[in-house]
Amino acid sequence: MGVRVMVVDEHRLLAEALASALKLRGHRVLAAAAPAAGAAELVISRAPEVCLFGTATPAEPGVFEPVVRIKRERPQIAVVVLGPVPSPRGIAAAFAAGASGYVRQDERIEGVERALAKARAGEVAISPQLLQSAFAELLNPAAQPDDEGTRLLRLLTPREVEVLVRVAEGEDTRLIAAGMAIAPSTARTHVQRVLMKLGVGSRLEAAALAARTGLLDRAAPPAPPVPREPQGAQDRPQPAGA
């Protein structure tokens, strides 16, 4: 029997892709939403057996406040955190908030299913390898930890970063072109360059990679398009004293 699960992630494309994959494997996916204001209320009102709670920044203060509220008001709901390779502090924060497990965002769908089943059964859902890796970092901290998100960000121009942010927000080529005040052909070229530089084959993969590495959290939000001055306006005579 499939698990009645709710997917909650701040990146809509990632949430919807995971929800679709779980549905295809026989699970009852109630919804895919963003962990902003109202996310906890939505989970509480739908009362799934398991909530997959996605975050790109598990060590940030306050990230797991929705988990705390869910467990306080609906303790029977098991919460499994879906995040990047965690630090020991990130794992500790997740379990301190009441989570039943932690799964990496790049885990295969079979691994996600195992975590769902364990959490529903009341077991701790975290792989021994993930625990071993986290505690190895705790015992032997790197002097300069590898920041994959920052490294990837350096590969992209500011224009390409804006394109990636828009792709992650679900905008198609037409919307990207309109939002950036560029031609659709130029928008397509930017998207292809972003995919090539990130080493991925699709927009969905690019969005997932950006979410997993925290790249989007370092990027500035897209700027609103600058209104174009009507053609010929610059040639109009100016009032005296202007």
Side-chain angles (χ1 to χ4, degrees), residues 148 151-152 155-156 164 191-207 209-210 212 215:
E148 184 70 2
R151 185 186 70 81
L152 293 174
L155 298 177
L156 306 176
L164 178 59
V191 170
Q192 290 304 315
R193 286 178 178 168
V194 169
L195 299 185
M196 180 184 67
K197 288 185 177 182
L198 295 183
V200 296
S202 70
R203 298 181 183 215
L204 182 59
E205 288 182 80
L209 177 63
R212 176 173 60 81
L215 189 157

Side-chain angles (χ1 to χ4, degrees), residues 126-145:
I126 185 169
S127 71
Q129 294 85 354
L130 195 55
L131 275 178
Q132 182 179 4
S133 173
F135 283 110
E137 181 187 335
L138 182 63
L139 296 173
N140 302 288
Q144 293 182 331

Side-chain angles (χ1 to χ4, degrees), residues 48-222:
E49 294 176 303
V50 182
C51 168
L52 269 175
F53 184 88
T55 177
T57 54
E60 287 293 317
V63 166
F64 297 119
E65 283 303 316
V67 178
V68 172
R69 182 176 173 192
I70 291 168
K71 295 304 294 182
R72 182 175 65 243
E73 299 192 23
R74 295 277 187 173
Q76 72 274 20
I77 299 176
V79 179
V80 174
V81 173
L82 188 69
V85 179
S87 65
R89 187 173 62 174
I91 289 181
F95 282 96
S100 299
Y102 193 108
V103 179
R104 284 175 49 168
Q105 286 170 329
D106 58 355
E107 177 65 74
R108 296 175 63 88
I109 191 65
E110 294 85 359
V112 176
E113 286 187 295
R114 284 193 295 271
L116 293 178
K118 283 187 174 183
R120 182 175 64 173
E123 301 176 23
V124 174
I126 185 169
S127 71
Q129 294 85 354
L130 195 55
L131 275 178
Q132 182 179 4
S133 173
F135 283 110
E137 181 187 335
L138 182 63
L139 296 173
N140 302 288
Q144 293 182 331
D146 181 28
D147 189 337
E148 184 70 2
T150 298
R151 185 186 70 81
L152 293 174
L153 197 59
R154 291 197 190 104
L155 298 177
L156 306 176
T157 67
R159 201 72 159 162
E160 290 164 350
V161 171
E162 181 176 352
V163 168
L164 178 59
V165 172
R166 292 181 181 276
V167 166
E169 291 178 349
E171 294 187 11
D172 59 17
T173 300
R174 179 181 57 81
L175 288 175
I176 293 173
M180 299 178 66
I182 58 178
S185 59
T186 303
R188 279 192 293 272
T189 299
H190 281 316
V191 170
Q192 290 304 315
R193 286 178 178 168
V194 169
L195 299 185
M196 180 184 67
K197 288 185 177 182
L198 295 183
V200 296
S202 70
R203 298 181 183 215
L204 182 59
E205 288 182 80
L209 177 63
R212 176 173 60 81
T213 59
L215 189 157
L216 294 177
D217 299 299
R218 296 167 173 79

